[in-house]
Amino acid sequence: MSQAITFSEYGTSDVLRLSEVTPPEPGPGQVRIRVRAASVNPLDIKIRSGLMAGNAPARFPVIPGLDAAGVVDAVGEGAAASVGDAVLGSASGGSYGEYALLDRPVAKPDALDWDVASSLVTVGLTAARVLAELDVRAGQTLLVHGAAGSVGIIAAQLAVARDITVVGTVGEHDIERLAALGAKAVRYGDGWVERVKAAAPQGVDSVFDASGAGVLAESVALTGDSTRVVTIADMDAARHGVRFSAGGGESAGASLAELVALAAGGRLTVPIWRTYPLAEAARAHADLEAHLNRGKAVLLP
C-alpha cells in the first residue's frame, strides 16, 4: 500500500484526506513514478469543488493532481522511459500521492529541480498551446493579460524566447518582476489600453488573455480582429467572437520538451511560491483559494 490524497465528495479543501491506496500499475506506454513533486493547479481546485462536474463528473474516490515529476519504478509495454529515469509529465489518475502514472514522460535534466519540473507541465503546455493557436511569430507583438500568473508568466517568457515582443498587464507589485524577464510590463486596471498603446506604438498583433478580467472587447479593438484574441479564463468569450482555449493538443510532448530545455538552460523561470508535505494538500488548496500565492504551490510526497 501507499499514501495518496483522496476526496470522496465535492466540497471545500476540507474534503481532502490522506488515505492508504494501492499503487497503480502502468498500462501500455505508461510509466509509474515514485513522485518527488506534484504541482497544485487551479484546475485541481475546480475539480475538487465540483465546478467541472457538468463536463467531467468524478468517479469517487478521486486522487487529484495533473502534474508530477519523479523517478520511474515500473514501466508498461512500449513505454518511452526506463526504470530509474528521472521524468516529468501529465499524470493519469492523479498525482497527489507517493506514486503516479505518466502517459508521455519527458526526461528531467539534472539542472532542473523537482519542484520546478512538476510545475512546468499544465501551465507550460497551456501557454505553448495558446501561442500555437494564435500563430504568433518572431517580430510580432503579443499582449498577455495576467502576465504574472502561473500561465501568463510562462507564455510571456516562451514568446520572448521566440523573439516575439511581449507586453504584459500585471499588478503594480509585479511590474519589475515581469520586466526582468524581457517583457514590457504595464499596470492593469483603468487606463490599461492607453498604457499598452504607449508601450507598443507599433500596435498589437495578438492577445492572450490569461486573466478573465473582462478585457476581451478592448483586446479585439486593439488587434482589429477577434480571431487574433484567445482566452483561457473568460467564459464570455463567444459573445465577443473570441476563441476559448482548452485541452492539450497532439504536440504536447514536443512542447513540454521545449519548455524543459528552456528551463534547464536558464531561459525560462517558474516561480515557486511554497512547498508543502503531501499531508498538507488541503492547506495548499486553501491558500490558493485565498489568493495568497505569488507563484506555484507544490506538494512534496
Side-chain angles (χ1 to χ4, degrees), residues 108-294:
K108 185 195 82 68
D110 291 340
L112 208 57
D113 291 339
W114 290 109
D115 53 0
V116 173
S118 72
S119 297
L120 270 174
V121 187
T122 292
V123 295
L125 292 178
T126 300
R129 182 188 72 240
V130 174
L131 293 185
E133 290 174 358
L134 286 168
D135 193 26
V136 59
R137 303 181 182 188
Q140 293 185 327
T141 298
L142 171 70
L143 171 61
V144 180
H145 290 296
S150 57
V151 174
I153 203 163
I154 301 297
Q157 293 178 85
L158 190 54
V160 168
R162 295 174 177 177
D163 295 320
I164 295 162
T165 297
V166 177
V167 179
T169 61
V170 294
E172 188 74 42
H173 54 280
D174 285 315
I175 286 178
E176 289 187 11
R177 181 162 69 105
L178 184 63
L181 298 175
K184 298 180 180 181
V186 302
R187 182 171 52 82
Y188 63 66
D190 291 345
W192 71 262
V193 173
E194 289 70 27
R195 290 191 287 276
V196 167
K197 288 179 177 178
Q202 73 278 17
V204 171
D205 297 293
S206 301
V207 178
F208 180 172
D209 172 36
S211 71
V215 293
L216 296 184
E218 296 92 338
S219 296
V220 170
L222 276 173
T223 62
D225 183 352
S226 63
T227 67
R228 303 305 306 156
V229 181
V230 171
T231 183
I232 61 169
D234 195 328
M235 302 306 293
D236 207 23
R239 189 166 70 86
H240 299 282
V242 168
R243 206 176 339 164
F244 187 98
S245 180
E250 300 207 356
S251 64
S255 297
L256 186 53
E258 177 189 8
L259 291 159
V260 168
L262 288 170
R267 299 183 64 197
L268 189 151
T269 298
V270 182
I272 304 298
W273 175 64
R274 183 174 293 175
T275 60
Y276 301 78
L278 179 64
E280 295 184 11
R283 184 162 71 93
H285 274 222
D287 287 349
L288 264 64
E289 288 180 286
H291 304 292
L292 299 179
N293 63 303
R294 291 186 61 195

Side-chain angles (χ1 to χ4, degrees), residues 3 34-38 69 95-99 276-279 299-301:
Q3 291 191 320
R34 182 68 169 83
V35 177
R36 296 290 300 273
S95 63
Y96 291 17
E98 293 178 321
Y99 294 92
Y276 301 78
L278 179 64
L299 301 178
L300 303 179

